[in-house]
Amino acid sequence: MPEAGAESDPPPIQTDTPRRLEIIDLLRGLVLILMVLDHTRDYFHKDALAFDPLDLAKTSPVLFFTRWITHLCAPTFVFLSGVSIFLQQARGKTEWRLTGHLLGRGLWLIAFEVTLISFGFNFGYPFFFLQVIFAIGMGMILMAVLHWLPGRSVLIIGIALVAGHGLLGGIRAETLQGTDQVIWRLAMEPGGLGTLPGMIVYPIIPWLGIMCLGYGLGFIFQLEDLSRRRAITLLGAGFLALFLILRLPNLYGDQNPWEWQSNPGLMVLDILNVSKYPPSLDYTLLMLGLAMCLALTLTHLPRVLQSPLLAFGRTPFLTYLLHIYLVHGGALLLGLVQGIPASHFTNFLGNPGQLAPDGWGISLWQVYAVWLVILCLLYPVSRAFARYRLKHRQWWLSYL
């Protein structure tokens, strides 16, 4: 954002409440921007439903990285949620008060996920699309209990869940029946929810592990600036080094080992192509390692470039909710221009093939142009709400 005192700059925080850490808001703002890119590609790109953009046999390097870079979003969101819980406790929120807040916020997030958010993605009949907001909401409900443990114990739980959940990969939901299958899906394996109209993309246990990591490592963000930067540098380097140690020899940590390719470029892409659904250990190490490195880089950006990051990062839920309707609504309008009935843009989660009739979609460079337009529409709203939040302390603002 511009220098303090400039007309377009949100006012500095001058309240009796603890100061927000800009490094967290900047990183959260960046991953929101990347998330908008991913969903814009999902809804607008002509090949979005034709093939997986990470399929090395069909993709291009630009399309691959357009999808791949957005893998940063979910683990960074969930990790920072854990950090924020730690900081709330460290700054004086008592155990019982924090427990009540986490329970209320978790239930509130889940309620929005199965209503406004799921409808925004689907524009159709009730369809429960359980994604990152559901994972964060469930994580907060469980953290309402776990935060009573010492931080080191929560960190150990996080490491065990992130590193160990892959050992249960031999259990497949299709081998289970009825309620057992639904419970296993919710806990461990993405997929349909049986007779329920919906699907889960972010199962609870693996993502809870990432939230526990954030909580257990939250003390790093309490350090003085120089010490914090050094600690984040070591943390990011450690994550990336461990990723290379495990990934290069296909030692452990991902259910999809990389293979020798016809040229070095494809081999690099295959090494980077780690599993997100559910998040593997290699995926988590790589993405959190990159996120930590990016967090340090963002603090050196000119203030004018930090402004949109801070606006989005300080209003994460509002920005997330608005972008879904802007993206999906924009795709519907484009379809009407291209002569495609609006019915093709409703209930496509239950029948995704109907979103890709002949003549549908735009090229990848046009997707990037639409992405920038959507960000320009979001920015003034997010900035205005960020300013409002900085000046007001109503209880409900903490839920947005």
Side-chain angles (χ1 to χ4, degrees):
M1 66 184 179
E3 294 296 335
E7 181 64 25
S8 60
D9 183 29
I13 303 173
Q14 295 179 350
T15 69
D16 294 332
T17 56
R19 180 176 58 88
R20 294 178 67 98
L21 289 174
E22 282 196 352
I23 191 171
I24 292 178
D25 289 331
L26 288 168
L27 183 56
R28 189 183 285 121
L30 174 66
V31 296
L32 273 163
I33 287 174
L34 293 176
M35 184 173 288
V36 176
L37 172 62
D38 192 37
H39 292 151
T40 303
R41 180 195 57 79
D42 279 335
Y43 281 90
F44 283 86
H45 190 225
K46 60 183 180 180
D47 294 327
L49 295 172
F51 59 86
D52 182 355
L54 300 179
D55 184 346
L56 298 184
K58 299 178 180 179
T59 192
S60 66
V62 175
L63 179 58
F64 179 96
F65 279 106
T66 299
R67 170 57 177 148
W68 180 85
I69 193 63
T70 63
H71 277 355
L72 280 166
C73 301
T76 304
F77 268 134
V78 177
F79 181 85
L80 292 180
S81 294
V83 172
S84 296
I85 294 170
F86 175 88
L87 293 178
Q88 289 181 65
Q89 188 173 49
R91 290 168 174 173
K93 186 167 283 188
T94 62
E95 282 80 359
W96 283 111
R97 185 182 172 201
L98 182 58
T99 294
H101 174 74
L102 292 174
L103 287 173
R105 183 168 173 77
L107 291 171
W108 180 84
L109 289 175
I110 293 171
F112 267 83
E113 181 79 294
V114 300
T115 54
L116 284 179
I117 295 174
S118 289
F119 178 80
F121 277 110
N122 200 40
F123 280 7
Y125 73 91
F127 188 97
F128 303 130
F129 194 36
L130 306 182
Q131 295 194 95
V132 66
I133 298 299
F134 171 80
I136 293 174
M138 287 301 305
M140 287 184 171
I141 290 172
L142 294 171
M143 284 301 301
V145 176
L146 292 176
H147 82 86
W148 289 84
L149 298 175
R152 183 176 299 178
S153 298
V154 178
L155 178 59
I156 292 172
I157 291 172
I159 293 172
L161 294 179
V162 169
H165 76 85
L167 297 174
L168 300 175
I171 303 175
R172 307 301 300 175
E174 56 264 26
T175 64
L176 304 174
Q177 300 294 325
T179 303
D180 291 341
Q181 184 182 88
V182 173
I183 292 174
W184 182 253
R185 291 282 193 198
L186 290 170
M188 291 292 297
E189 185 181 342
L193 296 174
T195 58
L196 295 176
M199 62 185 297
I200 181 166
V201 187
Y202 290 73
I204 298 166
I205 298 302
W207 294 98
L208 173 64
I210 296 176
M211 185 176 288
C212 289
L213 287 184
Y215 181 89
L217 295 170
F219 68 92
I220 289 175
F221 293 84
Q222 276 193 304
L223 301 174
E224 294 297 324
D225 183 64
L226 182 59
S227 298
R228 180 170 61 243
R229 296 182 66 85
R230 288 173 176 169
I232 292 175
T233 300
L234 290 174
L235 182 63
F239 281 154
L240 294 176
L242 185 54
F243 163 76
L244 293 174
I245 291 171
L246 295 176
R247 182 65 171 168
L248 291 182
N250 280 325
L251 187 62
Y252 175 78
D254 201 279
Q255 58 265 41
N256 295 317
W258 64 273
E259 300 176 350
W260 289 93
Q261 302 293 329
S262 58
N263 64 69
L266 285 176
M267 191 173 299
V268 171
L269 297 186
D270 203 12
I271 291 171
L272 296 177
N273 190 14
V274 285
S275 303
K276 180 182 178 181
Y277 304 107
S280 68
L281 172 60
D282 287 355
Y283 165 88
T284 302
L285 291 171
L286 176 58
M287 295 304 151
L288 290 184
L290 290 175
M292 294 303 100
C293 295
L294 285 171
L296 298 174
T297 303
L298 295 174
T299 60
H300 293 293
L301 289 176
R303 300 297 282 182
V304 68
L305 296 181
Q306 289 184 2
S307 181
L309 300 180
L310 290 172
F312 296 142
R314 289 171 176 170
T315 59
F317 184 80
L318 178 67
T319 300
Y320 179 85
L321 181 63
L322 290 178
H323 98 272
I324 296 169
Y325 283 85
L326 282 175
V327 169
H328 196 170
L332 189 153
L333 291 176
L334 176 64
L336 294 177
V337 171
Q338 294 182 331
I340 299 170
S343 59
H344 280 282
F345 298 88
T346 60
N347 188 31
F348 79 93
L349 290 174
N351 183 19
Q354 69 177 355
L355 191 62
D358 292 339
W360 159 251
I362 57 178
S363 65
L364 189 58
W365 76 264
Q366 290 172 320
V367 167
Y368 274 88
V370 173
W371 170 56
L372 293 176
V373 170
I374 292 172
L375 291 178
C376 290
L377 294 174
L378 284 170
Y379 175 54
V381 179
S382 297
R383 183 182 64 174
F385 189 61
R387 287 179 169 181
Y388 184 86
R389 289 188 65 177
L390 291 173
K391 294 179 179 179
H392 301 82
R393 294 296 165 186
Q394 292 96 327
W395 65 270
W396 56 270
L397 289 174
S398 64
Y399 286 82
L400 295 175

